[in-house]
Amino acid sequence: MPDVVVIGCGISGAATAWELAKSGCSVTLVDRYGPAAMASGWTLAGVRQSGRHPSELPLAMAAVKIWEGLDEELQASTGYTQHGNLRIGLTPEDLPALRVIAQDGEAVGLPIEVLADAQSVRDIAPALSPAIAGATWCPTDGHADPDATVNAFINAARRLGVETVYGEAVLSLESRSRRICGVRTTSRTIATDAVVLATGISGNELLAPFGSPLPVDVKNVTVVRTRPLPPLLSQVLSVASACNSDAACAGRQQLDGAFRFTSGIKSWDGLMREKDGRPVIAPTIASLLETLQSFGDVVPAVREAEIDAYWCGLVDQTPDALPVLDHVPGVDGLVMARGFSGHGFCLGPLTGRIMAALVQGQAPPLDISAFAFSRFSGLTTPSSSPVTLHG
Ligand SMILES: Cc1cc2nc3c(=O)[nH]c(=O)nc-3n(C[C@H](O)[C@H](O)[C@H](O)COP(=O)(O)OP(=O)(O)OC[C@H]3O[C@@H](n4cnc5c(N)ncnc54)[C@H](O)[C@@H]3O)c2cc1C
């Protein structure tokens, strides 16, 4: 009987399993598919503090401190590099929004500035088109390899005895008098007193018997990966738009030279199929063309690259575009990290620490009152989610 069952083997669940194992807990980590099969594999994998909601900024900054020592901690390469983030304004009308982002960052001590002309931005990233108006520049942002990161957490956790179970979906949470006593999977029941729900877009079906669904709107993002190009860009880019705080596109060059870039956030038609035991959502031709055009306008050299792969990724967007990091109300032994709204990759290593503390009844390492489940009390549908920034 494990002390804790962690459901979901994306970055949130994998980091939680690692943190719990470090504290001496026995853990079973279960995933319907396998490591990084959903958002944590589909992601752009920007490790970004800039452009966060003020209540999320301290979390992102604390997460970056962990990222800086993560390879050493996990004894593996996560592909993390810290070469900054440029949030680009295409027109002068975008600059006021960039100034607000810089002010929010400066207010909590984040190194960030506004570069109000194209040349200053191109001095940092010469591969950018001259047809831009400016950018915010945050040198301590960065990016990582998402599959390598999730696997690094899992391998480290396994070295400390964590049991991993793949290809097994959790069908229900077992409880007695609203106290967790196990999970029922597609093949068995695992007895436990504590469960961590790190299930991304899924999970409301497990919460339904307790009457506590999380109001999430599932959104769709198109992603393109090219074949490697010579080194052109070390920063993560995202494109602001004056009338829309969503990133119109975002992208980065991986350490292997491939570019990985994304569209903005779109509605999702609900279609998902499985291929080789992994969930797959195919982009439409229209969204693919739009993504290629938008990112090619910002980094023209990418137009010469060969396309290696493309896919869609899903985003679990809450009504305020902030996650829930909390106990599930009215159920003893159940904690949840969901609703990251397109920016939970950077937070992952810290999410693990927060979840591990909550499960063990300890104080979390930071104030997480802004991420309480109770703020959505009575809300079952996501109504008017603000647009959010991924990348
Ligand atoms: C295209 C795209 C770009 C993004 N860019 C960035 C970025 O640049 N920076 C950033 O910080 N964030 C970004 N994000 C968001 C970030 O990737 C996610 O917030 C983060 O990966 C969420 O991780 P997770 O572990 O919480 O969820 P997931 O990675 O979705 O993992 C959930 C896991 O739970 C499993 N699961 C679900 N239900 C069950 C069940 N019943 N039984 C068993 N297993 C179950 C699933 O199979 C899945 O593996 C992006 C997201 C997308 C889609």
Side-chain angles (χ1 to χ4, degrees):
M1 173 172 164
D3 295 328
V4 187
V5 171
V6 178
I7 311 173
C9 198
I11 192 165
S12 306
T16 301
W18 162 242
E19 292 296 336
L20 285 167
K22 275 199 302 182
S23 315
C25 293
S26 61
V27 180
T28 298
L29 175 62
V30 187
D31 199 287
R32 182 197 303 268
Y33 302 111
M38 297 188 81
S40 300
W42 293 326
T43 185
L44 181 65
V47 179
R48 168 181 61 82
Q49 307 147 104
S50 55
R52 298 248 171 194
H53 186 280
S55 56
E56 211 181 53
L57 261 168
L59 268 63
M61 291 167 73
V64 164
K65 288 279 165 247
I66 304 176
W67 276 101
E68 288 168 353
L70 200 57
D71 284 12
E72 196 182 334
E73 179 179 338
L74 301 178
Q75 295 293 294
S77 172
T78 60
Y80 174 64
T81 59
Q82 194 178 47
H83 291 292
N85 181 296
L86 288 161
R87 183 156 163 79
I88 295 159
L90 295 178
T91 68
E93 288 72 44
D94 292 324
L95 294 180
L98 298 182
R99 289 199 183 95
V100 173
I101 287 175
Q103 281 159 9
D104 286 347
E106 281 163 0
V108 289
L110 181 71
I112 184 166
E113 62 182 303
V114 175
L115 308 170
D117 62 278
Q119 193 49 52
S120 309
V121 183
R122 296 181 78 232
D123 287 346
I124 291 171
L128 289 180
S129 158
I132 57 174
T136 54
W137 167 234
C138 177
T140 55
D141 285 345
H143 58 86
D145 178 326
D147 290 295
T149 302
V150 174
N151 282 309
F153 272 117
I154 292 168
N155 291 335
R158 286 170 62 108
R159 287 197 296 273
L160 294 187
V162 169
E163 179 197 19
T164 50
V165 178
Y166 303 142
E168 212 169 303
V170 173
L171 301 177
S172 62
L173 305 176
E174 306 285 294
S175 65
R176 235 176 269 122
S177 310
R178 294 185 79 88
R179 180 128 211 111
I180 289 293
C181 59
V183 304
R184 188 167 64 82
T185 76
T186 32
S187 45
R188 62 198 159 128
T189 296
I190 307 172
T192 185
D193 292 335
V195 169
V196 178
L197 217 56
T199 47
I201 62 161
S202 318
N204 277 350
E205 66 288 358
L206 302 177
L207 292 172
F210 307 105
S212 321
L214 177 69
V216 278
D217 198 0
V218 180
K219 301 280 196 174
N220 188 8
V221 177
T222 295
V223 189
V224 176
R225 192 181 64 217
T226 71
R227 288 196 196 282
L229 288 178
L232 288 166
L233 181 76
S234 55
Q235 303 78 18
V236 181
L237 306 178
S238 62
V239 176
S241 159
C243 54
N244 180 350
S245 65
D246 182 16
C249 65
R252 66 181 177 97
Q253 188 170 24
Q254 302 177 169
L255 294 185
D256 65 2
F259 272 82
R260 181 186 275 236
F261 51 93
T262 77
S263 68
I265 289 181
K266 316 277 184 191
S267 59
W268 178 46
D269 61 12
L271 289 178
M272 181 159 71
R273 59 194 171 83
E274 281 183 27
K275 191 177 174 210
D276 303 328
R278 313 279 285 192
V280 178
I281 304 147
T284 62
I285 291 172
S287 75
L288 208 48
L289 289 174
E290 188 187 312
T291 310
L292 294 168
Q293 182 72 50
S294 321
F295 197 71
D297 285 349
V298 180
V299 185
V302 161
R303 295 199 186 114
E304 305 307 318
E306 292 173 32
I307 295 174
D308 180 40
Y310 50 82
W311 61 87
C312 282
L314 299 176
V315 164
D316 49 349
Q317 192 160 347
T318 63
D320 56 9
L322 293 172
V324 168
L325 306 169
D326 200 359
H327 296 272
V328 174
V331 193
D332 283 349
L334 182 58
V335 300
M336 183 169 88
R338 287 181 59 213
F340 287 99
S341 304
H343 32 89
F345 183 76
C346 164
L347 299 181
L350 182 71
T351 300
R353 291 194 183 176
I354 293 170
M355 288 296 104
L358 291 183
V359 168
Q360 295 174 93
Q362 298 161 358
L366 271 90
D367 177 14
I368 53 166
S369 50
F371 312 104
F373 204 136
S374 58
R375 72 190 195 273
F376 299 135
S377 168
L379 254 188
T380 49
T381 50
S383 58
S384 55
S385 306
V387 277
T388 184
L389 174 67
H390 63 284

